[in-house]
Amino acid sequence: MKHRVLIAVAVVAASLAVVAAVAAATLSATATVSGTAGVSLNLPAAPAVNATLNGADQSISYAPLLGIVDARGTGSGWNVTVAATPFTDTASHTFAAGNVTSVAQSCASGSSCSAATNSLSYPISLSATANKVFSAAANTGMGKVQVTPTIQTTIPGNAYAGSYTSTLTIATALSP
């Protein structure tokens, strides 16, 4: 009888080994990644600069941090354009909107991005007509990119004291 029990246990153990071997298989995982429809732009708070007249022309600058998100997943590239009105006070005194003298870029914190390859030369004059001030070539600038243009203007030595404002219209455009 012991013999029969041992044989039965051996048969069951062999069957389990075969079942375990048959249960092994491979599995392929699939990830579907979708892109967004366009490139988005996040603007900072309005920049402010202060200057005290001293009789000489004075150069002032400010550098707004622009948050650009290219989550299209196409690598098609994009541009940043800026149009600006002259600085004007309430009495209609004016001075020029200025120039973009340089543009820095970095990946946004907590984000992977591909650095944008920018082929533009500086300075670029600002006017009421939108001018391209930064460009991400094909296959660059993907992810969350922070773009910081340095905008420089001159306050004439004979300017009137007051509070002046300039309206900047900043936009992203898809590369053709």
Side-chain angles (χ1 to χ4, degrees):
M1 184 79 157
K2 269 186 163 179
H3 218 321
R4 285 186 190 172
V5 171
L6 284 176
I7 293 173
V9 169
V11 169
V12 170
S15 298
L16 289 175
V18 170
V19 169
V22 172
T26 60
L27 175 67
S28 295
T30 301
T32 301
V33 180
S34 300
T36 59
V39 175
S40 66
L41 171 66
N42 301 312
L43 297 177
V49 294
N50 295 306
T52 301
L53 295 171
N54 63 9
D57 292 351
Q58 296 180 55
S59 179
I60 60 168
S61 62
Y62 57 99
L65 176 65
L66 311 176
I68 306 207
V69 179
D70 182 0
R72 295 173 295 160
T74 63
S76 296
W78 46 267
N79 302 306
V80 174
T81 62
V82 177
T85 62
F87 281 90
T88 306
D89 69 3
T90 57
S92 297
H93 302 115
T94 65
F95 57 89
N99 300 304
V100 174
T101 58
S102 65
V103 178
Q105 67 168 311
S106 64
C107 286
S109 179
S111 174
S112 296
C113 78
S114 55
T117 300
N118 180 25
S119 61
L120 301 178
S121 298
Y122 300 96
I124 297 172
S125 295
L126 295 178
S127 67
T129 302
N131 289 311
K132 189 186 316 183
V133 298
F134 191 79
S135 178
N139 300 314
T140 70
M142 295 173 63
K144 290 184 177 183
V145 181
Q146 294 178 322
V147 174
T148 308
T150 298
I151 301 171
Q152 186 173 38
T153 191
T154 300
I155 300 173
N158 64 349
Y160 289 88
S163 180
Y164 291 77
T165 58
S166 171
T167 300
L168 282 74
T169 303
I170 303 170
T172 57
L174 304 180
S175 291

